[in-house]
Amino acid sequence: MSAEHDTGSGASAWFADQTFWDDFYPHLFSAERAAEAERIVERSPLFRFPSGARVLDLCCGPGLFTVPLARAGHAVTGVDLSAPLLDRARTRCREAGVKARFVEADMLGFAEPEAFDAVVNMFTSFGYLHRHEDNVQVLRNAHTSLAPGGTLLVDLVGKEILARRDERVSLSELDGKVLVQRDTILDDWSRLRSDWYSIEGSRAATGSMTLHLYSAAELRDMLRSAGFTGVRFHGDYEGGPYDHRAERLIAVATKGVDARGN
Ligand SMILES: C[S@@+](CC[C@H](N)C(=O)[O-])C[C@H]1O[C@@H](n2cnc3c(N)ncnc32)[C@H](O)[C@@H]1O
């Protein structure tokens, strides 16, 4: 793990611990989610990238979005910190008969100047870095990696969506595995800790993730300070508004085509 991810207390960053991704893999990367990713890439107006676009799937995990993006004819690069998840993404591509390039890298450092027409960061893969400025740096890296006129898409659970929920504990079941999630708001709504418990028969696993929570207005400021010009928000993949019914916070930000960012 790189020194940048020291949490300040000397503890390792949760997202660099492979055990978390292994223990919760069946819940995070289920067949249902893979099918949903396929549907989103096929049908969402937010995913209409030019034919043959160079797409960076930032924090690609096991490639749930990488595969349908490659199948749609895009030249896809998947970047992730986890070598085992990248191996799974390679296998998923092989099995689907599609090609993609994979890079094991940290989103805090990864940038390839003007190498992409679109960058996607899906399924709440943002806000992980302990320092707020490091999360802004991730957006700056995406801006650097985009060609002028390129688009960044970030898909999160927004602060407004969490504030609307009454329940702080949720329970779900998948193939006999029970998942309990308990959310705790930290630092006056700046951050969220989500404690996870997975139970299968007599086997139980626990894990915890802590991430920065952003409202649309806060994310807009971050995107602008990272250099993005056009910034808009949606509350679902159909391109609906980010309002009181929003299910996701989806930011769509454009890199300007001239030196003034227009
Ligand atoms: C919630 S998963 C989402 C994966 C994928 N986008 C999807 O929709 O299935 C978050 C991913 O971010 C990756 N990740 C976490 N911290 C990272 C970092 N600092 N740099 C690059 N990838 C990171 C994890 O390894 C994991 O694959």
Side-chain angles (χ1 to χ4, degrees):
M1 192 191 72
S2 61
E4 289 91 336
H5 293 314
D6 182 8
T7 57
S9 61
S12 297
W14 64 270
F15 54 79
D17 177 5
Q18 187 56 37
T19 316
F20 179 87
W21 304 108
D22 289 343
D23 284 344
F24 298 103
Y25 190 96
H27 296 281
L28 283 165
F29 307 115
S30 62
E32 287 77 7
R33 262 212 73 231
E36 192 199 358
E38 299 261 352
R39 267 196 310 276
I40 290 169
V41 173
E42 267 173 35
R43 297 187 200 160
S44 170
L46 308 181
F47 270 77
R48 292 215 186 103
F49 305 127
S51 153
R54 299 162 298 167
V55 181
L56 169 60
D57 185 0
L58 185 62
C59 301
C60 64
L64 270 54
F65 283 88
T66 318
V67 165
L69 281 165
R71 192 178 286 129
H74 302 309
V76 192
T77 297
V79 167
D80 204 280
L81 190 62
S82 161
L85 289 179
L86 285 170
D87 280 343
R88 292 201 191 234
R90 284 189 194 94
T91 304
R92 193 181 291 269
C93 279
R94 209 172 29 251
E95 287 172 357
V98 297
K99 286 201 181 346
R101 169 185 166 236
F102 290 101
V103 181
E104 184 185 332
D106 190 328
M107 63 176 143
L108 179 57
F110 181 84
E112 291 185 346
E114 301 197 3
F116 300 100
D117 304 300
V119 177
V120 301
N121 177 262
M122 301 303 294
F123 194 45
T124 316
S125 304
F126 183 74
Y128 287 9
L129 308 186
H130 184 67
R131 287 187 293 244
H132 166 75
E133 314 83 68
D134 288 345
N135 294 308
V136 179
Q137 183 59 44
V138 171
L139 300 178
R140 224 173 266 129
N141 295 343
H143 187 268
T144 301
S145 294
L146 281 169
T151 303
L152 166 67
L153 202 152
V154 184
D155 157 60
L156 294 176
V157 178
K159 190 183 284 187
E160 297 86 347
I161 298 171
L162 269 175
R164 203 177 62 204
R165 285 186 194 155
D166 290 340
E167 300 298 332
R168 292 280 165 249
V169 178
S170 69
L171 181 75
S172 54
E173 188 178 357
L174 187 80
D175 300 333
K177 298 180 194 72
V178 175
L179 178 70
V180 181
Q181 286 170 273
R182 193 189 57 185
D183 292 345
T184 309
I185 301 300
L186 303 175
D187 305 335
D188 306 322
W189 281 93
S190 303
R191 294 189 300 143
L192 168 77
R193 192 183 73 232
S194 195
D195 298 307
W196 293 23
Y197 309 86
S198 163
I199 304 150
E200 185 183 8
S202 58
R203 197 181 158 271
T206 63
S208 186
M209 64 195 293
T210 302
L211 60 163
H212 282 262
L213 279 179
Y214 294 118
S215 67
E218 288 164 340
L219 192 53
R220 174 180 285 112
D221 288 347
M222 292 165 74
L223 287 159
R224 287 201 173 138
S225 83
F228 287 94
T229 46
V231 180
R232 63 179 207 271
F233 293 97
H234 296 285
D236 57 46
Y237 297 108
E238 282 77 52
Y242 186 65
D243 62 11
H244 60 292
R245 289 197 197 86
E247 292 155 16
R248 306 288 301 170
L249 169 56
I250 306 171
V252 182
T254 317
K255 178 170 178 171
V257 291
D258 63 30
R260 296 174 59 214
N262 295 310

